[in-house]
Amino acid sequence: MKEDIGQTLIGLEQAALDRWCRGDPSGFLEISAPDVVYFDPFLPRRLDGLDALTAYYESLRGTVRADGWEMLNPDVKMIGDAAVLTFNFASWAGSGDRYRWNCTEVYRRSPAAQGSAWRIVQTHWSFTGGE
Amino acid sequence: MKEDIGQTLIGLEQAALDRWCRGDPSGFLEISAPDVVYFDPFLPRRLDGLDALTAYYESLRGTVRADGWEMLNPDVKMIGDAAVLTFNFASWAGSGDRYRWNCTEVYRRSPAAQGSAWRIVQTHWSFTGGE
């Protein structure tokens, strides 16, 4: 059961990543909660809330394009109605450089009355170092 | 009640940070779970498990020193026995540069039979960009 949820969440994430890498941020926005908090390496501080994330992502719409990407070694920890998905990520365009990332997504299951949907409440993207 | 737990976790984190900034990684190791996963900007991939984190942190023991630090705008999201703490962080040595970080900690409460202690199951440190 737990493994199924883990696979479901990995699938959700991969579907959103696929859209992201074609310039479409809506995949992530559709599965982010109203109170989502967000970090990436380009921002001077944490973004708080879906409105702020929407404004930011809309400013990037159509600007991101990757020809390929890979989710590496995903791990899901289930804690009741919370799930912590972590993975390394690589993306590339043409024969150019590979970009390497660290990612943490925390998903929260909404109450049954609200459809028991899993929504992202925390996103943290950063560059992988070393090597 | 939730607010109290949030304050408790912020206090736990600050106590560990205080030791970290004096070169002592044990504060974090003592509150990390056996299955902790860990990202920072210096590693080529995610670290998995307390043994791996211990080996890494022991290699850094005594090498980190900050004269001052500040936890900025901490946010705690409670999801049952999970708590997601996010904050920006600044540290400095002497009159030198300030280092600016993004941090996500996911804490998990252990079962009552194991003392109901809060332990870190996911740590993600990265550099703050922008500005």
Side-chain angles (χ1 to χ4, degrees):
Chain A
M1 181 62 174
K2 281 186 178 178
E3 207 157 23
D4 286 353
I5 294 175
Q7 285 305 313
T8 297
L9 295 177
I10 289 170
L12 267 182
E13 184 77 18
Q14 289 178 329
L17 282 167
D18 185 62
R19 292 173 69 177
W20 177 261
C21 289
R22 289 182 287 121
D24 175 9
S26 296
F28 279 114
L29 293 172
E30 289 167 8
I31 60 170
S32 293
D35 59 336
V36 64
V37 292
Y38 176 92
F39 290 118
D40 80 20
F42 309 111
L43 293 168
R45 65 188 63 78
R46 188 185 65 215
L47 281 187
D48 290 351
L50 186 56
D51 288 349
L53 183 62
T54 299
Y56 177 52
Y57 270 10
E58 289 300 340
S59 77
L60 302 175
R61 184 178 294 276
T63 66
V64 176
R65 190 152 301 271
D67 294 322
W69 56 268
E70 193 174 10
M71 177 188 281
L72 301 162
N73 197 23
D75 178 77
V76 181
K77 294 190 190 308
M78 300 298 308
I79 311 171
D81 287 330
V84 184
L85 168 61
T86 54
F87 56 93
N88 284 110
F89 184 77
S91 65
W92 55 93
S95 56
D97 290 339
R98 282 171 73 93
Y99 295 92
R100 295 162 54 251
W101 301 81
N102 303 327
C103 183
T104 302
E105 300 277 33
V106 182
Y107 284 80
R108 181 182 61 206
R109 183 163 33 196
S110 61
Q114 294 165 38
S116 300
W118 289 93
R119 291 289 179 265
I120 297 170
V121 295
Q122 188 281 158
T123 291
H124 191 152
W125 284 99
S126 66
F127 294 126
T128 304
E131 274 180 3
Chain B
M1 182 63 175
K2 281 187 182 180
E3 208 156 25
D4 287 353
I5 293 175
Q7 284 306 313
T8 297
L9 295 178
I10 289 170
L12 268 183
E13 184 77 16
Q14 289 178 327
L17 282 166
D18 185 63
R19 292 173 68 177
W20 177 261
C21 289
R22 290 183 285 120
D24 175 11
S26 296
F28 278 113
L29 294 172
E30 289 166 9
I31 61 171
S32 293
D35 59 337
V36 63
V37 293
Y38 177 92
F39 290 118
D40 80 23
F42 310 110
L43 292 168
R45 64 188 63 80
R46 190 185 63 214
L47 281 187
D48 290 351
L50 186 56
D51 288 349
L53 183 61
T54 300
Y56 178 51
Y57 269 9
E58 290 299 341
S59 77
L60 301 175
R61 183 178 294 276
T63 66
V64 176
R65 188 151 303 269
D67 294 323
W69 56 268
E70 194 173 11
M71 177 188 281
L72 301 161
N73 197 24
D75 179 76
V76 181
K77 296 192 190 305
M78 300 298 308
I79 311 169
D81 287 329
V84 184
L85 168 62
T86 53
F87 56 92
N88 284 112
F89 184 77
S91 64
W92 54 91
S95 56
D97 289 340
R98 281 170 74 95
Y99 295 92
R100 294 161 56 250
W101 301 82
N102 303 327
C103 183
T104 302
E105 301 276 33
V106 182
Y107 284 81
R108 181 181 63 205
R109 183 164 32 197
S110 61
Q114 294 163 38
S116 300
W118 288 93
R119 291 289 179 265
I120 297 170
V121 295
Q122 188 281 159
T123 292
H124 191 151
W125 285 99
S126 67
F127 294 125
T128 304
E131 278 181 356

